[in-house]
Amino acid sequence: MSDGRHRTLRDAIGWSYELCTDAERTLWARLSVFAGAFNVAAAREVCASADLDADDIFETIIRLVDKSVLVRAQPAAAGLPDADQPAWYRMLDTIHEFGSEMLGASGDETSVRERFVCRYLGKAQYFAEHLTDTVQLERFRELRREHSNLRAALLYTLDDEQCEQVRQGAELANALYGYWHMSGLLREGRYWYRKVLDRLPRTSSPERGWALASRGYLGAMQGEAAERVADATAGTEIGRELGDHRLIGRGYNYLTLALTIADRYDEAKVAAAKSERKLEALGDRTGLAILDCHWAHLPISPATRRRPSATARGP
């Protein structure tokens, strides 16, 4: 696009902005925090504040649609007829860019982004906590529909200079370990773990330990044995330093897979046994289910084959 056409388009967008009410301008700016489509519930959670009531957001969205600031989008939810699916909305790129500038100038950017990150951190943590529950498929599809917004939340935190924001990004990336696996996005997951490990202090912390262990898990699935053994070992060691028994159990779990891929079967069996003891003591059903999958990759004779844990198989 030429500079002249760009200026003409920007002038038109600015003119539309001037025609909006205060509520419409505020919501336009705040909705620009979403990188992808959003629904009314998401808009209320992220954009509502003392000066923009949650009850007014739906009507304000409709007015922004009428003014072509927002367009309808319909991320498909499998199994639901069109009439039963919630309405989703998005902004065109030029309008989104203008809204981002207005958000930056408003003084609200930090608080809006914090609410945005909290929304997706909560969703990721719930998914991780219920990875093997009956809600797994529904929650996974929800995260897939909002993949662009998950990426935006990770960018907001991991490109930030504040240590607390980086820790939030680490927590988000760590909570998504199962999502990266299930969606086949192993390379992307490892990219975010690299960002986490580059940004976190080099001291031992739960966030660093989980990022190392999780990167070892994803990398082992891609067949990169040596480096992933090192990652899983380092993450487990941080768990031992901190007395974090769940990290120790999961670390040995992921180390089992990495060692198996490296053809170090005897060491893998030792790691699996250590993991099983920890995870059974903690009642970590998800961890035990993952471990059963890793046991299945090990060449064990029928006489010594471990029986799958009842805890892992149970509902």
Side-chain angles (χ1 to χ4, degrees):
M1 182 182 296
S2 68
D3 290 344
R5 289 182 61 192
H6 181 79
R7 285 195 299 271
T8 300
L9 179 58
R10 184 174 177 81
D11 288 344
I13 294 172
W15 180 70
S16 296
Y17 183 79
E18 292 302 322
L19 292 178
C20 289
T21 66
D22 288 344
E24 291 164 0
R25 293 176 188 173
T26 298
L27 188 58
W28 178 347
R30 293 180 183 179
L31 288 173
S32 69
V33 77
F34 290 95
F38 55 87
N39 58 23
V40 173
R44 285 174 174 154
E45 186 174 344
V46 173
C47 301
S49 65
D51 59 345
L52 185 62
D53 194 275
D55 292 338
D56 296 331
I57 283 182
F58 174 68
E59 291 185 2
T60 308
I61 285 176
I62 296 304
R63 293 200 299 271
L64 289 174
V65 171
D66 291 341
K67 293 180 177 180
S68 300
V69 173
L70 299 177
V71 295
R72 290 285 296 267
Q74 195 69 58
L80 287 179
D82 290 346
D84 294 335
Q85 297 197 36
W88 289 69
Y89 307 90
R90 64 181 180 86
M91 289 182 184
L92 298 178
D93 289 346
T94 50
I95 292 174
H96 184 276
E97 180 181 345
F98 186 91
S100 295
E101 292 178 14
M102 296 304 102
L103 180 62
S106 69
D108 296 330
E109 185 173 18
T110 298
S111 59
V112 172
R113 286 195 174 190
E114 285 176 352
R115 292 194 295 269
F116 180 85
V117 170
C118 284
R119 170 180 169 80
Y120 292 101
L121 177 57
K123 286 186 174 296
Q125 289 175 332
Y126 186 91
F127 179 72
E129 290 164 4
H130 298 271
L131 191 64
T132 54
D133 292 358
T134 56
V135 299
Q136 179 207 72
L137 180 59
E138 177 186 353
R139 296 300 184 183
F140 172 71
R141 286 174 172 170
E142 181 180 15
L143 292 180
R144 286 298 289 150
R145 286 195 297 271
E146 298 211 58
H147 184 76
S148 295
N149 293 322
L150 289 171
R151 280 179 174 170
L154 286 163
L155 279 171
Y156 292 154
T157 51
L158 296 177
D159 282 352
D160 199 286
E161 296 299 326
Q162 299 180 34
C163 185
E164 187 56 38
Q165 290 289 86
V166 172
R167 289 190 184 281
Q168 272 194 311
E171 290 174 7
L172 177 55
N174 287 333
L176 290 170
Y177 76 95
Y179 171 75
W180 304 126
H181 178 195
M182 291 174 61
S183 58
L185 298 172
L186 304 178
R187 187 178 301 276
E188 180 171 346
R190 289 172 55 207
Y191 166 82
W192 291 114
Y193 289 128
R194 185 174 71 250
K195 293 269 286 187
V196 166
L197 293 167
D198 286 345
R199 295 304 312 280
L200 283 174
R202 297 289 175 175
T203 55
S204 295
S205 67
E207 295 83 9
R208 188 170 188 83
W210 281 104
L212 283 164
S214 297
R215 188 171 70 172
Y217 177 46
L218 298 187
M221 291 181 201
Q222 292 186 295
E224 298 182 1
E227 292 180 358
R228 304 298 74 96
V229 167
D231 277 345
T233 299
T236 305
E237 184 56 36
I238 288 176
R240 292 169 63 85
E241 289 177 30
L242 301 177
D244 186 334
H245 295 287
R246 186 167 175 270
L247 175 53
I248 296 170
R250 289 293 188 96
Y252 278 126
N253 193 347
Y254 304 157
L255 181 59
T256 298
L257 180 62
L259 289 167
T260 301
I261 298 300
D263 297 333
R264 294 161 62 177
Y265 301 129
D266 289 340
E267 294 171 81
K269 293 172 192 176
V270 171
K274 290 180 178 179
S275 175
E276 182 179 30
R277 287 195 294 271
K278 283 289 184 184
L279 298 176
E280 286 189 337
L282 294 169
D284 185 346
R285 177 180 177 275
T286 297
L288 287 165
I290 294 170
L291 182 61
D292 279 341
C293 295
H294 295 169
W295 270 111
H297 292 295
L298 280 167
I300 306 174
S301 68
T304 59
R305 186 180 298 277
R306 168 188 170 275
R307 293 175 60 190
S309 165
T311 307
R313 296 195 313 271

